[in-house]
Amino acid sequence: MVGQEVKRIGVLGGTFDPVHLGHIHLALDALKEMDLDRVIFIPAWLQPFKQDRDTASGRDRLAMIDAAIEGLEGLESSSIELDAEGVSYTYLTMRELRKKYGEDCRIYFITGTDAFLKIETWRNAGELLTSCGYLVGTRPGYRQKELEECMERVSRIYGTEVRNLHNDRFDISSTEVRDRLESGEPCGDLIPEKVERYIRENGLYK
């Protein structure tokens, strides 16, 4: 995208401990469906709702993301939350991205159903919900009525653009990946080969 003005970006945040195929395909689906210029993976230094859990280092989690998205056009990573070295509040990240890309850029925060249903409880939710649009990845029928009600309420109260992604659903969790790795089972159906190789070579999740 060198020399081109960025107008539409997606932001996919999380612990990514480790990044898995569900994350990758959600990003690719959002990129295509919403005609985004890019989707940025942003690993958290410390997620507000996971402060009591140990994770792989930020350096390792970022390296795994970079391995996973290598060669996939339109996907990139950012160390913005890792560099801040504090609790990773999304509203602060959005402030920084707005400064970087300017007011003309449309930013979409990509999230799943469970997270979106709780978003009004996030730190500085009012600022967060007016600072960007939201792309919600779902699976057919999963909490659909509850989600539709939440989407309507957020749109009405905050004037926020909220879209349901018609994404391919990969029922994968990072917990499942870590459990398999700890037991020595193969993970090729859950994580990219390059990520599994990085994990093995660096002795992670033992």
Side-chain angles (χ1 to χ4, degrees):
M1 199 86 39
V2 176
Q4 296 184 21
E5 189 176 1
V6 177
K7 288 293 186 180
R8 296 165 65 83
I9 65 172
V11 174
L12 186 57
T15 310
F16 301 116
D17 191 34
V19 63
H20 55 63
L21 290 172
H23 298 132
I24 302 301
H25 285 278
L26 178 59
L28 290 171
D29 288 339
L31 187 74
K32 181 178 179 180
E33 185 172 335
M34 294 298 296
D35 193 27
L36 303 176
D37 293 302
R38 66 185 66 169
V39 172
I40 306 172
F41 285 73
I42 302 182
W45 175 265
L46 185 62
Q47 273 202 335
F49 303 111
K50 298 182 180 180
Q51 296 187 52
D52 58 344
R53 186 170 74 76
D54 291 333
T55 64
S57 72
R59 180 187 64 82
D60 284 325
R61 288 183 287 120
L62 184 63
M64 287 186 283
I65 291 170
D66 288 338
I69 65 177
E70 184 180 1
L72 297 177
E73 186 175 355
L75 303 188
E76 62 183 59
S77 67
S78 169
S79 63
I80 183 173
E81 291 187 353
L82 299 179
D83 295 339
E85 295 189 358
V87 178
S88 302
Y89 292 114
T90 304
Y91 79 95
L92 293 174
T93 302
M94 290 302 167
R95 280 185 191 176
E96 293 305 310
L97 292 177
R98 181 63 61 203
K99 290 177 187 176
K100 178 176 180 179
Y101 291 104
E103 294 300 323
D104 291 339
C105 179
R106 186 60 173 151
I107 299 176
Y108 293 92
F109 189 75
I110 303 167
T111 185
T113 297
D114 289 332
F116 186 75
L117 289 174
K118 298 175 183 175
I119 202 159
E120 289 167 286
T121 70
W122 289 18
R123 180 69 65 91
N124 279 15
E127 176 183 339
L128 176 59
L129 285 165
T130 56
S131 66
C132 61
Y134 289 82
L135 307 179
V136 186
T138 61
R139 51 185 161 179
Y142 178 69
R143 304 181 75 174
Q144 190 63 34
K145 185 174 186 298
E146 190 178 355
L147 176 61
E148 289 173 359
E149 291 173 351
C150 183
M151 291 172 63
E152 188 279 329
R153 183 175 63 253
V154 165
S155 297
R156 173 170 41 84
I157 294 174
Y158 301 97
T160 306
E161 180 185 0
V162 186
R163 301 278 293 273
N164 240 157
L165 288 174
H166 300 92
N167 57 294
D168 290 330
R169 179 68 188 186
F170 285 75
D171 197 13
I172 302 172
S173 73
S174 293
T175 300
E176 180 184 2
V177 176
R178 293 193 302 271
D179 287 345
R180 278 212 210 168
L181 289 164
E182 189 174 354
S183 63
E185 298 178 48
C187 296
D189 58 328
L190 304 180
I191 57 178
E193 180 183 349
K194 291 177 183 177
V195 174
E196 183 167 8
R197 186 183 311 130
Y198 182 93
I199 290 168
R200 306 282 185 198
E201 289 176 353
N202 290 275
L204 303 181
Y205 307 118
K206 288 188 175 181

